Amino acid sequence: MSLKIVVLAKQVPDTRNVGPDAMTPQGTINRAALPAVFNPEDLNALEQALRLKDQFPGSTISVLTMGLPKSAEVIREALYRGADCGYVITDRSLGGADTLATSYTLAQAVKKVGDYDIILGGRQAIDGDTAQVGPQIAEKLGLTQVTYAEEILSLDEKARKVVIRRHIDGGVETVEAPLPLVVTVNGSAAPCRPRNAKRIMKFKNATAVAERAPEAAEKYAALIAKKPYLDIPQWGAADIDADPTQIGKAGSPTNVKAVKNIVFKAKESRTLTASDADVEGLIKELLDEKIIG
Amino acid sequence: MNNVFVYCEIEGTTVVDVSLELLSKGRKLANTLGVQLECICAGKGLDGIEKQVFPYGVDKVHVFDAEGLFPYTTNPHAALVVNLFKEEQPQICLLGATVIGRDLGPRISSAMHSGLTADCTELEIDSFEMSIGGVKKAYENQLCQIRPAFGGNIVATIVNPEHRPQMATVREGVMKKEIVDPNYKGEVIKHDVAKYVPETEYVVKVLERHVEKAKHNLKGAPIVVAGGYGMGSKENFDMLFELAKELHAEVGASRAAIDAGFADHDRQIGQTGVTVRPKVYIACGISGQIQHLAGMQDSGIIISVNSDPDAPINAIADYVINGTVEEVIPKMIKYYKANNK
Ligand SMILES: Cc1cc2nc3c(=O)[nH]c(=O)nc-3n(C[C@H](O)[C@H](O)[C@H](O)COP(=O)(O)OP(=O)(O)OC[C@H]3O[C@@H](n4cnc5c(N)ncnc54)[C@H](O)[C@@H]3O)c2cc1C
Ligand SMILES: Cc1cc2nc3c(=O)[nH]c(=O)nc-3n(C[C@H](O)[C@H](O)[C@H](O)COP(=O)(O)OP(=O)(O)OC[C@H]3O[C@@H](n4cnc5c(N)ncnc54)[C@H](O)[C@@H]3O)c2cc1C
């Protein structure tokens, strides 16, 4: 038997490595200067999907991403690593979405893919940092969920059950859950396999409509007529039958009232050397003032 | 109706610390709003559980006691909270930003179509004007949820004026646990679980579960000695344990130190580890990246031992010792022993 697997992948600014060029002179962060990357834990999710595909040949992996047109980069990356196809969900009306509106949109897209057995996502995206989208999608699809998954240990196709090891606070847990199921994968799960050189050759010219320069339309049309897999399908709000009141800003209960860049205020500090006198002086002072001891 | 709710997380039959911290915060919010504080305790064998929460000023405890509610699985807990909320219409709901809270919170918010703010570091009640969907309106007594995002590089204030409940998760150690009155008495309501949780919700089976009791008390320690990547090795970390033993302190670590294998995972301090606010924080070989600072910046006195005079952490330190950990830490131990009589 083969499985229909959906992977949710988000393109995120790389908040992990904020280099000097991403800092403004005021010491705050310039988000636009951060490179856009495949959300790290979504790669862990993709690996779990690929392992299921290895185990159940004939399975298909569809990757969904919602974002700006350039988020098609995430789809190409997933194709290089072994996904079968991907969809870019992009539309002006989706802008300003909080996790609830994001999960509604992605749930609508998952329904359009249809017939899914298992939906895998990362535990958390490194920009929003909420870990909320996975469980909210599960709720919207009427499915149960296994969050913080570290490994899919086994999948019984007849009984339609999966056994998963997951991280819990202070330990680990093994659970059995029914298919279809939403799983969010933790960063402690196996890393994703690298790109495959043949697949890079095959998919490097794959694009979504929104990425193509209008003047090159003819060139792309000819290319795609020959190689249909070079067209990354792109869906707008209407394509996924989205209720306009539930997407984007309108569908978001949360509102950002204020955003402050972090600037750590320098304190008045005393600088000492490593000399015996300095270290002993400090220890004595702390003891005298009953700060330690 | 319209009260402040806390979902209490229960390990075995013990309400965990983060939930008690949230009860303390919830009590203050309820006082500001002039409403009651209620909480939910769901698990198995919960007779007398109210005794654990009343001292924090809980007015009403909703107890759901049944086989199948411990260990926690998503659907039954989500069903009971959602069905209770439909009756009770709370205005605020707080959960721990734990594995359980982050599994359950979004599920509830999706079912109730309400906003949920993750990992809040501050919660305040405020009134303001805001334009939502192009209509400017005055909103009174709203929950302002303050949270770091973007890998800790920004702090956002999030409000959800048009939807209830206003939901937020908070990490352990962020709010302070405070007993209001050891003899505080509220009401206990024992619910018929079957009325709230249909049999069909028990879909996930926990086959195996290992939880280890925390080996240390990093969060509650008055003095923390923390080591970073600059410690150089696991062996050098032993110096920190020695210093900590002398000072009656606990040992913490930066993520880079943990990733390098110098210390155990559960000692991580920072945005994705524990938050500490000790009287004294001694940072040894820690550069002071924003994600680390997020977990210790409220410490009383910060001492930085670093060979780089320009390490970012020095900017928030009260004392900076320019030197290598190899040289400075043994001296600290030596002079502490010599002078502490
Ligand atoms: C400063 C700031 C603070 C915010 N705080 C909140 C908040 O507290 N509450 C709130 O509701 N919203 C908040 N948001 C909005 C939130 O970041 C967005 O809604 C975002 O689109 C989804 O949330 P996330 O990044 O936290 O994803 P997470 O929930 O952390 O993502 C989990 C997984 O879901 C999948 N996924 C998520 N988004 C996508 C996508 N676009 N395409 C494909 N897969 C995806 C991925 O597999 C991902 O690993 C905040 C945004 C900002 C900028
Ligand atoms: C989403 C996200 C979440 C994160 N969460 C956390 C978190 O919770 N906690 C956390 O700590 N980090 C976290 N990080 C990682 C964080 O960004 C930094 O990488 C980390 O804090 C750096 O650790 P460090 O200061 O020990 O190492 P480094 O940055 O490598 O600093 C080492 C320091 O040691 C000094 N040094 C070197 N040798 C010596 C010596 N012999 N004597 C004295 N000083 C010496 C150096 O001058 C330097 O200042 C997170 C990152 C991301 C992206």
Short mmCIF file of all heavy atoms in Angstrom, two decimals, chain B residues 219-271:
data_model
loop_
_atom_site.label_atom_id
_atom_site.label_comp_id
_atom_site.label_asym_id
_atom_site.label_seq_id
_atom_site.Cartn_x
_atom_site.Cartn_y
_atom_site.Cartn_z
N LYS B 219 16.04 27.00 38.47
CA LYS B 219 15.11 28.12 38.49
C LYS B 219 15.04 28.82 39.82
O LYS B 219 14.89 30.03 39.88
CB LYS B 219 13.70 27.57 38.19
CG LYS B 219 13.16 27.97 36.90
CD LYS B 219 11.70 27.56 36.79
CE LYS B 219 11.24 26.73 37.95
NZ LYS B 219 9.83 26.57 38.09
N GLY B 220 15.15 28.05 40.89
CA GLY B 220 14.96 28.65 42.20
C GLY B 220 16.26 29.07 42.87
O GLY B 220 16.26 29.58 43.97
N ALA B 221 17.39 28.82 42.19
CA ALA B 221 18.68 29.07 42.85
C ALA B 221 18.96 30.56 42.99
O ALA B 221 18.78 31.32 42.05
CB ALA B 221 19.79 28.39 42.05
N PRO B 222 19.42 30.98 44.18
CA PRO B 222 19.73 32.41 44.37
C PRO B 222 21.01 32.82 43.63
O PRO B 222 21.20 33.98 43.33
CB PRO B 222 19.90 32.55 45.88
CG PRO B 222 20.12 31.18 46.39
CD PRO B 222 19.53 30.21 45.43
N ILE B 223 21.88 31.85 43.38
CA ILE B 223 23.10 32.16 42.64
C ILE B 223 23.24 31.14 41.50
O ILE B 223 23.07 29.94 41.72
CB ILE B 223 24.35 32.08 43.54
CG1 ILE B 223 24.20 33.03 44.75
CG2 ILE B 223 25.62 32.42 42.75
CD1 ILE B 223 25.37 33.00 45.73
N VAL B 224 23.50 31.62 40.31
CA VAL B 224 23.70 30.71 39.18
C VAL B 224 25.09 30.96 38.59
O VAL B 224 25.48 32.09 38.33
CB VAL B 224 22.62 30.91 38.09
CG1 VAL B 224 22.97 30.13 36.82
CG2 VAL B 224 21.25 30.48 38.60
N VAL B 225 25.83 29.87 38.43
CA VAL B 225 27.12 29.93 37.74
C VAL B 225 26.88 29.30 36.37
O VAL B 225 26.55 28.13 36.28
CB VAL B 225 28.19 29.11 38.50
CG1 VAL B 225 29.51 29.15 37.75
CG2 VAL B 225 28.36 29.61 39.92
N ALA B 226 27.00 30.10 35.32
CA ALA B 226 26.68 29.57 34.00
C ALA B 226 27.92 29.55 33.11
O ALA B 226 28.74 30.47 33.15
CB ALA B 226 25.59 30.40 33.35
N GLY B 227 28.04 28.48 32.34
CA GLY B 227 29.19 28.34 31.46
C GLY B 227 28.76 28.34 30.01
O GLY B 227 27.69 27.87 29.65
N GLY B 228 29.63 28.88 29.17
CA GLY B 228 29.34 28.91 27.74
C GLY B 228 30.37 28.12 26.95
O GLY B 228 31.17 27.37 27.52
N TYR B 229 30.33 28.34 25.68
CA TYR B 229 31.24 27.64 24.77
C TYR B 229 32.70 27.95 25.12
O TYR B 229 33.59 27.13 24.94
CB TYR B 229 30.91 28.07 23.34
CG TYR B 229 31.60 27.23 22.30
CD1 TYR B 229 31.26 25.88 22.14
CD2 TYR B 229 32.59 27.77 21.50
CE1 TYR B 229 31.90 25.11 21.21
CE2 TYR B 229 33.24 26.99 20.55
CZ TYR B 229 32.89 25.66 20.41
OH TYR B 229 33.52 24.89 19.48
N GLY B 230 32.90 29.15 25.67
CA GLY B 230 34.25 29.56 26.06
C GLY B 230 34.85 28.74 27.19
O GLY B 230 36.04 28.88 27.48
N MET B 231 34.06 27.88 27.83
CA MET B 231 34.61 27.00 28.86
C MET B 231 35.56 25.98 28.24
O MET B 231 36.41 25.43 28.92
CB MET B 231 33.49 26.28 29.62
CG MET B 231 32.67 27.17 30.55
SD MET B 231 33.67 28.03 31.78
CE MET B 231 34.39 26.68 32.71
N GLY B 232 35.34 25.70 26.98
CA GLY B 232 36.29 24.88 26.23
C GLY B 232 36.15 23.38 26.35
O GLY B 232 36.45 22.67 25.40
N SER B 233 35.70 22.87 27.47
CA SER B 233 35.59 21.41 27.60
C SER B 233 34.69 21.05 28.77
O SER B 233 34.40 21.87 29.64
CB SER B 233 36.96 20.78 27.84
OG SER B 233 37.44 21.16 29.12
N LYS B 234 34.29 19.77 28.76
CA LYS B 234 33.48 19.24 29.85
C LYS B 234 34.29 19.25 31.15
O LYS B 234 33.78 19.53 32.22
CB LYS B 234 33.07 17.81 29.49
CG LYS B 234 31.89 17.28 30.24
CD LYS B 234 31.44 15.97 29.59
CE LYS B 234 30.58 15.09 30.48
NZ LYS B 234 29.43 15.64 31.10
N GLU B 235 35.58 18.99 31.02
CA GLU B 235 36.46 18.97 32.19
C GLU B 235 36.49 20.36 32.83
O GLU B 235 36.41 20.50 34.04
CB GLU B 235 37.89 18.53 31.81
CG GLU B 235 38.02 17.05 31.44
CD GLU B 235 37.22 16.67 30.19
OE1 GLU B 235 37.29 17.43 29.18
OE2 GLU B 235 36.51 15.65 30.22
N ASN B 236 36.62 21.37 31.99
CA ASN B 236 36.63 22.73 32.53
C ASN B 236 35.31 23.08 33.22
O ASN B 236 35.27 23.89 34.13
CB ASN B 236 36.94 23.75 31.43
CG ASN B 236 38.43 23.87 31.18
OD1 ASN B 236 39.23 23.31 31.94
ND2 ASN B 236 38.80 24.57 30.13
N PHE B 237 34.23 22.48 32.73
CA PHE B 237 32.93 22.71 33.36
C PHE B 237 32.94 22.24 34.81
O PHE B 237 32.20 22.77 35.64
CB PHE B 237 31.82 22.00 32.56
CG PHE B 237 30.78 22.95 32.04
CD1 PHE B 237 31.04 23.73 30.93
CD2 PHE B 237 29.54 23.08 32.67
CE1 PHE B 237 30.09 24.62 30.46
CE2 PHE B 237 28.60 23.97 32.20
CZ PHE B 237 28.87 24.74 31.10
N ASP B 238 33.77 21.23 35.10
CA ASP B 238 33.85 20.75 36.48
C ASP B 238 34.26 21.87 37.44
O ASP B 238 33.86 21.88 38.60
CB ASP B 238 34.83 19.57 36.58
CG ASP B 238 34.25 18.32 35.94
OD1 ASP B 238 33.01 18.28 35.75
OD2 ASP B 238 35.01 17.40 35.61
N MET B 239 35.06 22.81 36.93
CA MET B 239 35.43 23.96 37.77
C MET B 239 34.20 24.74 38.20
O MET B 239 34.13 25.26 39.31
CB MET B 239 36.35 24.93 36.99
CG MET B 239 37.69 24.36 36.62
SD MET B 239 38.82 25.67 36.07
CE MET B 239 38.06 26.30 34.58
N LEU B 240 33.22 24.82 37.28
CA LEU B 240 32.00 25.55 37.60
C LEU B 240 31.21 24.84 38.68
O LEU B 240 30.63 25.46 39.56
CB LEU B 240 31.13 25.72 36.35
CG LEU B 240 31.76 26.48 35.18
CD1 LEU B 240 30.74 26.65 34.06
CD2 LEU B 240 32.26 27.84 35.63
N PHE B 241 31.19 23.49 38.59
CA PHE B 241 30.48 22.73 39.62
C PHE B 241 31.15 22.94 40.97
O PHE B 241 30.49 23.03 42.01
CB PHE B 241 30.41 21.25 39.24
CG PHE B 241 29.35 20.96 38.22
CD1 PHE B 241 29.65 20.85 36.87
CD2 PHE B 241 28.02 20.83 38.61
CE1 PHE B 241 28.67 20.62 35.93
CE2 PHE B 241 27.02 20.58 37.67
CZ PHE B 241 27.35 20.48 36.33
N GLU B 242 32.48 23.05 40.94
CA GLU B 242 33.21 23.24 42.19
C GLU B 242 32.89 24.63 42.77
O GLU B 242 32.59 24.77 43.96
CB GLU B 242 34.71 23.10 41.91
CG GLU B 242 35.52 22.79 43.15
CD GLU B 242 37.01 22.79 42.83
OE1 GLU B 242 37.39 22.43 41.69
OE2 GLU B 242 37.79 23.17 43.72
N LEU B 243 32.93 25.63 41.91
CA LEU B 243 32.60 26.98 42.36
C LEU B 243 31.16 27.03 42.87
O LEU B 243 30.88 27.61 43.93
CB LEU B 243 32.79 27.98 41.21
CG LEU B 243 32.43 29.44 41.50
CD1 LEU B 243 33.29 30.02 42.62
CD2 LEU B 243 32.58 30.30 40.24
N ALA B 244 30.27 26.38 42.15
CA ALA B 244 28.85 26.37 42.54
C ALA B 244 28.67 25.70 43.89
O ALA B 244 27.86 26.15 44.70
CB ALA B 244 28.02 25.67 41.47
N LYS B 245 29.43 24.66 44.13
CA LYS B 245 29.31 23.95 45.40
C LYS B 245 29.70 24.88 46.55
O LYS B 245 29.01 24.96 47.56
CB LYS B 245 30.19 22.70 45.38
CG LYS B 245 29.86 21.74 46.48
CD LYS B 245 30.47 20.37 46.21
CE LYS B 245 30.80 19.70 47.55
NZ LYS B 245 32.23 19.62 47.82
N GLU B 246 30.77 25.60 46.36
CA GLU B 246 31.21 26.54 47.39
C GLU B 246 30.16 27.63 47.63
O GLU B 246 29.88 27.99 48.76
CB GLU B 246 32.53 27.22 46.96
CG GLU B 246 33.74 26.29 46.95
CD GLU B 246 34.04 25.72 48.34
OE1 GLU B 246 33.76 26.40 49.34
OE2 GLU B 246 34.54 24.57 48.40
N LEU B 247 29.58 28.14 46.56
CA LEU B 247 28.65 29.27 46.66
C LEU B 247 27.21 28.85 46.95
O LEU B 247 26.33 29.69 47.05
CB LEU B 247 28.65 30.07 45.35
CG LEU B 247 29.95 30.76 44.91
CD1 LEU B 247 29.79 31.35 43.53
CD2 LEU B 247 30.32 31.84 45.91
N HIS B 248 26.97 27.55 47.05
CA HIS B 248 25.61 27.00 47.14
C HIS B 248 24.79 27.49 45.94
O HIS B 248 23.67 27.98 46.08
CB HIS B 248 24.93 27.38 48.45
CG HIS B 248 25.69 26.89 49.64
ND1 HIS B 248 25.74 25.56 49.97
CD2 HIS B 248 26.48 27.53 50.52
CE1 HIS B 248 26.52 25.41 51.03
NE2 HIS B 248 26.99 26.59 51.38
N ALA B 249 25.38 27.38 44.81
CA ALA B 249 24.75 27.86 43.58
C ALA B 249 24.38 26.66 42.70
O ALA B 249 24.74 25.53 43.00
CB ALA B 249 25.72 28.77 42.84
N GLU B 250 23.67 26.92 41.61
CA GLU B 250 23.40 25.89 40.61
C GLU B 250 24.18 26.24 39.35
O GLU B 250 24.52 27.40 39.11
CB GLU B 250 21.91 25.83 40.27
CG GLU B 250 21.06 25.13 41.31
CD GLU B 250 21.27 23.61 41.37
OE1 GLU B 250 22.06 23.08 40.56
OE2 GLU B 250 20.64 22.98 42.24
N VAL B 251 24.41 25.21 38.54
CA VAL B 251 25.16 25.42 37.30
C VAL B 251 24.20 25.46 36.11
O VAL B 251 23.36 24.58 35.96
CB VAL B 251 26.21 24.31 37.10
CG1 VAL B 251 26.89 24.44 35.74
CG2 VAL B 251 27.25 24.35 38.21
N GLY B 252 24.33 26.50 35.31
CA GLY B 252 23.55 26.61 34.08
C GLY B 252 24.51 26.65 32.89
O GLY B 252 25.74 26.65 33.07
N ALA B 253 23.94 26.69 31.69
CA ALA B 253 24.81 26.67 30.51
C ALA B 253 24.14 27.39 29.35
O ALA B 253 22.91 27.54 29.31
CB ALA B 253 25.11 25.24 30.11
N SER B 254 24.94 27.83 28.41
CA SER B 254 24.41 28.38 27.17
C SER B 254 24.12 27.21 26.23
O SER B 254 24.60 26.10 26.44
CB SER B 254 25.40 29.32 26.50
OG SER B 254 26.46 28.54 25.95
N ARG B 255 23.38 27.50 25.19
CA ARG B 255 23.06 26.42 24.26
C ARG B 255 24.31 25.92 23.55
O ARG B 255 24.46 24.73 23.32
CB ARG B 255 22.02 26.88 23.24
CG ARG B 255 21.56 25.70 22.40
CD ARG B 255 20.22 25.96 21.79
NE ARG B 255 20.37 26.39 20.42
CZ ARG B 255 19.33 26.68 19.65
NH1 ARG B 255 18.10 26.60 20.11
NH2 ARG B 255 19.52 27.05 18.42
N ALA B 256 25.22 26.84 23.23
CA ALA B 256 26.43 26.41 22.53
C ALA B 256 27.22 25.43 23.40
O ALA B 256 27.80 24.47 22.89
CB ALA B 256 27.27 27.62 22.16
N ALA B 257 27.24 25.67 24.71
CA ALA B 257 27.96 24.77 25.62
C ALA B 257 27.29 23.41 25.65
O ALA B 257 27.95 22.37 25.69
CB ALA B 257 28.02 25.38 27.01
N ILE B 258 25.96 23.43 25.62
CA ILE B 258 25.23 22.16 25.66
C ILE B 258 25.39 21.41 24.34
O ILE B 258 25.63 20.21 24.33
CB ILE B 258 23.75 22.43 26.00
CG1 ILE B 258 23.67 22.76 27.49
CG2 ILE B 258 22.87 21.23 25.67
CD1 ILE B 258 22.42 23.45 27.92
N ASP B 259 25.28 22.15 23.25
CA ASP B 259 25.47 21.51 21.94
C ASP B 259 26.86 20.88 21.84
O ASP B 259 27.05 19.87 21.17
CB ASP B 259 25.29 22.54 20.82
CG ASP B 259 23.83 22.93 20.64
OD1 ASP B 259 22.97 22.24 21.21
OD2 ASP B 259 23.56 23.93 19.94
N ALA B 260 27.83 21.50 22.51
CA ALA B 260 29.19 20.97 22.47
C ALA B 260 29.37 19.81 23.44
O ALA B 260 30.45 19.21 23.50
CB ALA B 260 30.19 22.08 22.80
N GLY B 261 28.34 19.50 24.21
CA GLY B 261 28.41 18.36 25.12
C GLY B 261 29.04 18.67 26.47
O GLY B 261 29.38 17.76 27.22
N PHE B 262 29.19 19.95 26.80
CA PHE B 262 29.82 20.31 28.08
C PHE B 262 28.87 20.11 29.25
O PHE B 262 29.30 19.95 30.38
CB PHE B 262 30.29 21.77 28.09
CG PHE B 262 31.28 22.14 27.02
CD1 PHE B 262 31.57 23.48 26.77
CD2 PHE B 262 31.94 21.16 26.28
CE1 PHE B 262 32.48 23.84 25.80
CE2 PHE B 262 32.86 21.51 25.29
CZ PHE B 262 33.13 22.85 25.04
N ALA B 263 27.57 20.20 28.99
CA ALA B 263 26.59 20.11 30.09
C ALA B 263 25.31 19.49 29.56
O ALA B 263 25.10 19.41 28.35
CB ALA B 263 26.31 21.50 30.66
N ASP B 264 24.46 19.04 30.52
CA ASP B 264 23.20 18.41 30.12
C ASP B 264 22.19 19.45 29.64
O ASP B 264 22.18 20.58 30.09
CB ASP B 264 22.59 17.65 31.31
CG ASP B 264 23.36 16.39 31.61
OD1 ASP B 264 24.09 15.92 30.71
OD2 ASP B 264 23.25 15.88 32.75
N HIS B 265 21.33 18.95 28.77
CA HIS B 265 20.27 19.73 28.16
C HIS B 265 19.42 20.53 29.12
O HIS B 265 19.06 21.67 28.85
CB HIS B 265 19.35 18.74 27.45
CG HIS B 265 19.17 19.09 26.02
ND1 HIS B 265 20.05 18.68 25.07
CD2 HIS B 265 18.25 19.85 25.43
CE1 HIS B 265 19.67 19.17 23.92
NE2 HIS B 265 18.58 19.90 24.10
N ASP B 266 19.08 19.90 30.24
CA ASP B 266 18.13 20.55 31.15
C ASP B 266 18.76 21.72 31.90
O ASP B 266 18.13 22.35 32.72
CB ASP B 266 17.53 19.52 32.12
CG ASP B 266 18.60 18.76 32.88
OD1 ASP B 266 19.79 18.92 32.54
OD2 ASP B 266 18.25 18.01 33.81
N ARG B 267 20.01 22.01 31.62
CA ARG B 267 20.65 23.16 32.27
C ARG B 267 20.66 24.39 31.37
O ARG B 267 21.23 25.42 31.70
CB ARG B 267 22.08 22.82 32.67
CG ARG B 267 22.15 21.74 33.74
CD ARG B 267 23.53 21.64 34.34
NE ARG B 267 23.60 20.53 35.27
CZ ARG B 267 23.34 20.63 36.57
NH1 ARG B 267 23.01 21.79 37.09
NH2 ARG B 267 23.40 19.58 37.35
N GLN B 268 20.04 24.28 30.21
CA GLN B 268 20.10 25.42 29.28
C GLN B 268 19.31 26.62 29.78
O GLN B 268 18.15 26.52 30.15
CB GLN B 268 19.57 25.01 27.90
CG GLN B 268 19.70 26.14 26.89
CD GLN B 268 19.19 25.74 25.52
OE1 GLN B 268 19.44 24.62 25.08
NE2 GLN B 268 18.47 26.63 24.87
N ILE B 269 19.96 27.76 29.72
CA ILE B 269 19.32 29.01 30.11
C ILE B 269 19.10 29.84 28.86
O ILE B 269 20.00 29.93 28.01
CB ILE B 269 20.20 29.78 31.12
CG1 ILE B 269 20.24 29.00 32.43
CG2 ILE B 269 19.69 31.20 31.34
CD1 ILE B 269 21.26 29.51 33.42
N GLY B 270 17.92 30.42 28.73
CA GLY B 270 17.68 31.28 27.58
C GLY B 270 16.31 31.09 27.01
O GLY B 270 15.45 30.42 27.59
N GLN B 271 16.14 31.69 25.87
CA GLN B 271 14.84 31.71 25.22
C GLN B 271 14.25 30.33 25.06
O GLN B 271 13.06 30.12 25.21
CB GLN B 271 14.99 32.36 23.85
CG GLN B 271 13.70 32.74 23.22
CD GLN B 271 13.90 32.97 21.73
OE1 GLN B 271 14.98 33.39 21.31
NE2 GLN B 271 12.89 32.70 20.96
#
